[in-house]
Amino acid sequence: MNAETPVCQLLQRQDEAYRGWLWVAPPRDAWLEQGDGSVLSGDHGVLHAWQACGRPAFGAFEIPPVLPPGAVLFWPKTHALGEWWLLTLCKVLPEGTPLQIVGENNGGIKRVLKVLAALGLGCRKRDSARRCSLFETRLGPVDIDPDAVWQRFEIEGLTVVSHPGVFGHGKLDAGTQLLLSQLPGTLPETGESILDMGCGDGILAAWLARRGAWVTAVDVNAFAVEATRRTLTANALEGQVVAGDVYSSLAGHRYDAVVSNPPFHQERAIDYGPAGRLIGEAPEHLVPGGQLVIVANAFLPYPDRLQAAFGNFEILADDRRFRVYRAFKR
């Protein structure tokens, strides 16, 4: 089987057998999923795909029970997240473990040289092709705790806990701010069952829980799931936090409202898939009279999707950059 993504195509042409290696934060690629070794990922979709193939799959905050002979780290677009992965691998894998780091050139992979040098780890370039580069090094002791990357900040009278790789890390996104400004007059004060889809750092979940809602928060990103749990705990609030790809982990439960600032990027590419499913499948997860309230960039083609799914919708706010939409299940 041939690799599908450029980074995996670069790896496939190496003379390394990669038997039993650990693949860290990889993209979806059937060459990997049906190959050898195990995966360590913060992406629920990737973990589910590997598990469906009967392959060993571990979440970002898990430690693989069997130490691998080597590891390949797929460098993410968020450099601080890449640094977290490096620090974590240095912490959990034995000193001297071979590590290869691969990424797209326009995603900042060449910055890895400076990052490794700052950590006192040697590095050499092994290969380049398909506008990607591959570096190799060996893991060593690093006197930096990976948990030091967690940040706490105050928003709307709430303490928010965030991690690199979480949407809006360390600040309140302008779209979410516009959405929050509309919720007081849109949702009842207490007692409703509300789904926060794509919960990020948990600011919406915490805001809703503080008002007395029964909140379920969902995100495909393990760092977002853990950040939301920590945000709720930091504010002494309760809520259910679930790892899942849109509605996949919700077992048919129906809600009084679904609230979201849905993503439309997958790494550097525009991807309407998750938002399209969020809108299109929302009526199946709402009680009669339940509402979907979302914020989105004004240029995104969501009105047609809302019309198709609900038959009607309204615009609650429009500041030219973002729009807040609401639709009711009839």
Side-chain angles (χ1 to χ4, degrees), residues 14-43:
Q14 306 306 307
D15 56 11
E16 191 79 62
Y18 295 119
R19 287 196 179 90
W21 277 48
L22 180 65
W23 305 94
V24 183
R28 289 292 313 278
D29 195 300
W31 175 72
L32 286 179
E33 293 158 10
Q34 299 180 24
D36 192 78
S38 56
V39 70
L40 183 65
S41 176
D43 187 315

Side-chain angles (χ1 to χ4, degrees), residues 56 101 251 329:
I101 307 174
K329 179 178 178 178

Side-chain angles (χ1 to χ4, degrees), residues 6 8 10 20-21 98 124 128 139 141 151 168 178 234 238 240 259 265 280 301 319:
C8 288
L10 175 57
W21 277 48
R124 79 175 185 91
S128 61
L139 297 174
Q151 291 186 15
L178 183 63
E238 295 185 0
Q240 181 183 22
V259 179
H265 282 106
D319 67 1

Side-chain angles (χ1 to χ4, degrees), residues 11 14 16 18 21 71-74 98-102 126 134-137:
L11 289 166
Q14 306 306 307
E16 191 79 62
Y18 295 119
W21 277 48
V72 177
L73 170 59
F74 294 79
L99 174 68
Q100 295 184 10
I101 307 174
V102 67
R126 177 169 179 146
L134 176 65
F135 298 93
E136 61 182 3
T137 184

Side-chain angles (χ1 to χ4, degrees), residues 98-182:
L99 174 68
Q100 295 184 10
I101 307 174
V102 67
E104 297 180 9
N105 294 337
N106 65 0
I109 180 62
K110 295 181 181 179
R111 183 176 176 179
V112 164
L113 293 169
K114 292 183 179 179
V115 173
L116 290 171
L119 296 176
L121 302 175
C123 179
R124 79 175 185 91
K125 187 173 183 178
R126 177 169 179 146
D127 198 4
S128 61
R130 306 286 296 173
R131 297 181 181 177
C132 301
S133 296
L134 176 65
F135 298 93
E136 61 182 3
T137 184
R138 288 185 178 271
L139 297 174
V142 176
D143 191 23
I144 303 175
D145 186 352
D147 282 344
V149 302
W150 286 98
Q151 291 186 15
R152 295 167 70 97
F153 54 100
E154 301 296 318
I155 296 176
E156 298 281 327
L158 293 163
T159 298
V160 179
V161 186
S162 188
H163 189 284
V166 174
F167 174 73
H169 174 54
K171 63 181 184 301
L172 179 60
D173 167 75
T176 301
Q177 187 173 28
L178 183 63
L179 176 60
L180 280 171
S181 74
Q182 298 302 304

Side-chain angles (χ1 to χ4, degrees), residues 221-268:
N221 183 332
F223 302 106
V225 169
E226 180 62 20
T228 296
R229 287 177 179 149
R230 295 191 183 202
T231 293
L232 289 171
T233 299
N235 295 280
L237 297 168
E238 295 185 0
Q240 181 183 22
V241 189
V242 180
D245 186 4
V246 194
Y247 300 105
S248 64
S249 300
L250 297 179
H253 186 79
R254 293 190 176 188
Y255 302 89
D256 295 303
V258 177
V259 179
S260 182
N261 181 354
F264 65 95
H265 282 106
Q266 180 65 33
E267 288 293 327
R268 284 164 294 280

